[in-house]
Amino acid sequence: MNINEYKYKVETHTHTSPMSPCADFKPKDVIEKYVDIGFDAVAITNHFCLHSFFTDNYDEIKTQFLGDFYDAQNAALKYGIKVILGMEIRFPQNSNDYLVYGFDERDIKLLFDLTHTDYATFYKTFKNDRNVILQAHPFRNGIVRENPDLLDGIETFNMHPVHNSRIGVAAKYAKQYPHFITTCGSDFHNKGQEGLGGILTKTLPNDSFELASILKSRDYLFNISGNVVIP
């Protein structure tokens, strides 16, 4: 393995305001922060769940969710950094979160409808050959580990500094399931959290589908605050 071939720095887990109420920064500010620390692509994975929706009106929710994404894209144009559509989705039964890559705006209505169901229904309905669905930070307090048969993998290295995601336990757990895709991300919400995690890739993903394809290839490295870790 030639580590130098993995030259693109990709963030897999970020949140922007106002779509994620817990995030402190507008999309433009997030992009500028990631440009400053030398990233090549950022996945915007805003919360998408009943408890974070500010209205019951689907059209308004879609407008806000995609609005944050488009604002990030527009801010990125002058820098050449790629902005990738992702999502952190949750269902009413518990506090589990799931990261979704490999979709576009045509899928938002179905995703919205599925937030009113449960995770098993979501996975069986939405899963296809082009997307990747992972359980985010599965070893945090209050999280229920999902049925491995209903997952493409897990986020083993969630680098949010406030929460204990037990990354060593998560990495050990993932080894029990050969089909699991594993990821690393900053879970960026607040000042100073940008770039704590991410992945290093050989090719630069241009969109959500290309990021999903890279994850399925498993040909990437983890980037821990500039330090290389082999998954």
Side-chain angles (χ1 to χ4, degrees), residues 1-7 200 221 228 230:
M1 174 185 292
N2 182 356
I3 291 178
N4 293 325
E5 292 180 344
Y6 298 85
K7 59 184 179 179
L200 300 169
L221 305 176
V228 178
I230 300 173

Side-chain angles (χ1 to χ4, degrees), residues 117-197:
T117 62
D118 58 79
Y119 177 74
T121 300
F122 158 73
Y123 188 83
K124 293 172 182 177
T125 303
F126 193 71
K127 178 61 194 165
N128 60 52
D129 291 340
R130 298 189 71 191
N131 63 34
V132 168
I133 301 170
L134 311 169
Q135 185 169 11
H137 44 70
F139 284 87
R140 278 188 191 172
N141 292 344
I143 300 298
V144 179
R145 283 184 293 285
E146 190 55 68
N147 178 353
D149 293 333
L150 298 178
L151 288 171
D152 299 329
I154 63 174
E155 182 188 43
T156 50
F157 279 49
N158 179 290
M159 304 308 296
H160 195 298
V162 176
H163 298 286
N164 182 359
S165 297
R166 298 174 175 85
I167 59 177
V169 178
K172 181 179 180 180
Y173 176 77
K175 289 187 68 175
Q176 299 177 43
Y177 302 98
H179 76 282
F180 267 10
I181 295 166
T182 60
T183 61
C184 172
S186 298
D187 199 358
F188 172 74
H189 287 77
N190 314 114
K191 183 178 180 179
Q193 297 173 359
E194 61 272 18
L196 295 181

Side-chain angles (χ1 to χ4, degrees), residues 55-125:
T55 175
D56 293 328
N57 184 285
Y58 163 70
D59 290 329
E60 292 180 22
I61 293 167
K62 177 183 178 181
T63 297
Q64 184 63 74
F65 181 78
L66 291 176
D68 273 30
F69 171 69
Y70 292 143
D71 285 350
Q73 273 196 328
N74 289 336
L77 287 176
K78 67 178 180 179
Y79 300 113
I81 190 173
K82 298 294 182 181
V83 177
I84 295 166
L85 183 63
M87 174 181 290
E88 189 170 21
I89 195 168
R90 182 184 292 188
F91 304 91
Q93 291 71 35
N94 53 44
S95 297
N96 289 3
D97 293 310
Y98 303 89
L99 291 165
V100 186
Y101 311 97
F103 68 97
D104 62 24
E105 62 182 81
R106 294 170 294 183
D107 298 308
I108 304 299
K109 181 60 167 68
L110 175 57
L111 286 161
F112 171 77
D113 290 341
L114 288 169
T115 61
H116 295 78
T117 62
D118 58 79
Y119 177 74
T121 300
F122 158 73
Y123 188 83
K124 293 172 182 177
T125 303

